């Protein structure tokens, strides 16, 4: 299965109340959780490795995983609190304020990571879990231990406010990128990783030189482009829909990419090194299709396969 490794949290979404003001409604979320749920709903074999609380929100997250057919055997339970992300929506775009101190997800340690992953064929990393310590070091240790013979995808989804020590973060992230087969970044992520006035086309080769076989760059409403190590490039447009909000859009895009690669038999290190532009375009198209459904409804609510 594809094991998604990283945060599961509660998105507190602003919602009108009967009195006319706004309240917050708890929605299951988190970048890596969203990708795992989307994979499960698409029918791909998916699991989640994360830290979950035994509190009411942790139970909500566990129930959501089960309902979407996500394997929870690698979930690490504790009595620490669940991370809460209070969401502010402006013109459909989300910004966040996090309550994450001492949380069940953040406090994972390298020694908590499994020594064996017998049923796992691919690993997916990303989100705030790569920025918040100590869990960031735990996931880096997991990749060190299990990434050499499994397909690896990383979406750093960089949030500068979470980065307390930029040097440590860059060092860890660069090491993980060098171990990855697929790196997916937004155009803003790419500019943070590779600062400077150069264009996307000029910056992507620097990422490919670090080791990945595939780099994917998303550009919001301008679509997504994929780049292969041999210099090939392909692009897909976004699917036109009425946007309700963008919560979970990138996460479900990633699930579509992974699901298509898995279904086509391309989600392995050798197959990704031999990927053709047409095969990459098919994966990007599936990602765009899945993301289009997610942005057309409130919160991170990925589609089931029958909805596509």
């Amino acid at each position: 299965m594809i094991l998604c490794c990283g945060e599961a949290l509660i998105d507190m979404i602003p919602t009108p109340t009967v009195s006319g003001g706004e309240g917050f409604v708890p929605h299951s979320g988190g970048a890596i959780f969203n990708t795992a749920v989307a994979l499960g709903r698409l029918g791909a074999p998916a699991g989640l490795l994360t830290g979950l609380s035994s509190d009411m929100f942790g139970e909500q997250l566990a129930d959501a995983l089960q309902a979407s057919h996500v394997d929870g055997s690698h979930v690490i339970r504790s009595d620490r609190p669940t991370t809460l992300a209070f969401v502010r929506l402006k013109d459909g775009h989300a910004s966040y304020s996090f309550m994450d101190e001492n949380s069940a997800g953040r406090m994972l340690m390298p020694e908590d990571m499994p020594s064996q992953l017998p049923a796992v064929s691919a690993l997916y990393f990303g989100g705030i879990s790569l920025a918040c310590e100590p869990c960031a070091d735990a996931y880096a240790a997991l990749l060190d231990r299990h990434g050499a013979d499994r397909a690896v995808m990383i979406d750093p989804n960089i949030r500068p406010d979470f980065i307390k020590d930029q040097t440590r973060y860059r060092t860890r992230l660069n090491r993980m990128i060098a171990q990855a087969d697929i790196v997916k970044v937004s155009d803003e992520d790419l500019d943070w990783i590779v600062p400077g006035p150069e264009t996307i086309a000029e910056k992507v080769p620097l990422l490919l030189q670090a080791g990945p076989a595939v780099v994917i760059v998303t550009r919001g409403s301008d679509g997504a482009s994929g780049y292969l190590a041999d210099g090939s490039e392909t692009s897909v447009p976004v699917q036109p829909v009425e946007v309700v909000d963008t919560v979970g859009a990138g996460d479900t895009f990633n699930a579509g990419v992974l699901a298509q690669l898995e279904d086509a038999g391309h989600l392995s290190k050798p197959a990704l090194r031999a990927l053709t532009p047409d095969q990459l375009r098919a994966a990007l198209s599936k990602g765009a299709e899945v993301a289009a459904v997610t942005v057309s409804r409130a919160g991170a609510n990925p589609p089931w396969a029958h909805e596509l």
Side-chain angles (χ1 to χ4, degrees), residues 68-90:
S68 293
H69 312 304
V70 178
D71 184 290
S73 60
H74 293 293
V75 168
I76 301 164
R77 303 300 293 262
S78 74
D79 59 1
R80 298 181 185 275
T82 298
T83 299
L84 303 180
F86 286 85
V87 181
R88 181 181 182 184
L89 297 173
K90 185 176 182 180

Side-chain angles (χ1 to χ4, degrees), residues 61-135:
L61 290 162
D63 291 345
L65 290 174
Q66 185 175 16
S68 293
H69 312 304
V70 178
D71 184 290
S73 60
H74 293 293
V75 168
I76 301 164
R77 303 300 293 262
S78 74
D79 59 1
R80 298 181 185 275
T82 298
T83 299
L84 303 180
F86 286 85
V87 181
R88 181 181 182 184
L89 297 173
K90 185 176 182 180
D91 299 326
H93 294 278
S95 58
Y96 300 85
S97 177
F98 288 85
M99 298 179 64
D100 190 42
E101 290 299 320
N102 202 41
S103 66
R106 181 173 183 171
M107 298 309 294
L108 292 181
M109 305 293 286
E111 53 266 31
D112 295 321
M113 297 294 103
S115 58
Q116 302 292 327
L117 294 175
V120 174
S121 56
L123 296 168
Y124 170 73
F125 298 91
I128 63 172
S129 298
L130 301 188
C132 298
E133 298 175 355
C135 71

Side-chain angles (χ1 to χ4, degrees), residues 35 81 101 162-163 173 194 199 201 235 261 269 300:
T35 299
E101 290 299 320
F162 270 83
I163 302 169
L173 179 61
V194 186
T199 65
S235 297
L261 291 171
K269 285 188 180 298

Side-chain angles (χ1 to χ4, degrees), residues 2 4 31 34-44 46 124 153 155 182 184 216 218 224 236 239 248-267 279-294 302-305 308:
I2 303 166
C4 301
N34 293 339
T35 299
V37 166
L39 283 167
R41 292 184 181 184
L42 292 173
Y124 170 73
M153 179 174 179
D155 176 4
I182 306 169
K184 179 259 185 172
I216 298 169
T218 56
V236 300
Q239 297 197 4
D251 311 326
T252 49
F253 173 89
N254 293 341
V257 169
L258 286 167
Q260 174 63 28
L261 291 171
E262 169 71 19
D263 188 58
H266 302 316
L267 196 56
Q279 292 165 345
L280 177 55
R281 182 178 176 83
L284 298 179
S285 296
K286 176 66 75 172
E289 183 182 13
V290 176
V293 178
T294 300
W304 294 84
L308 298 179

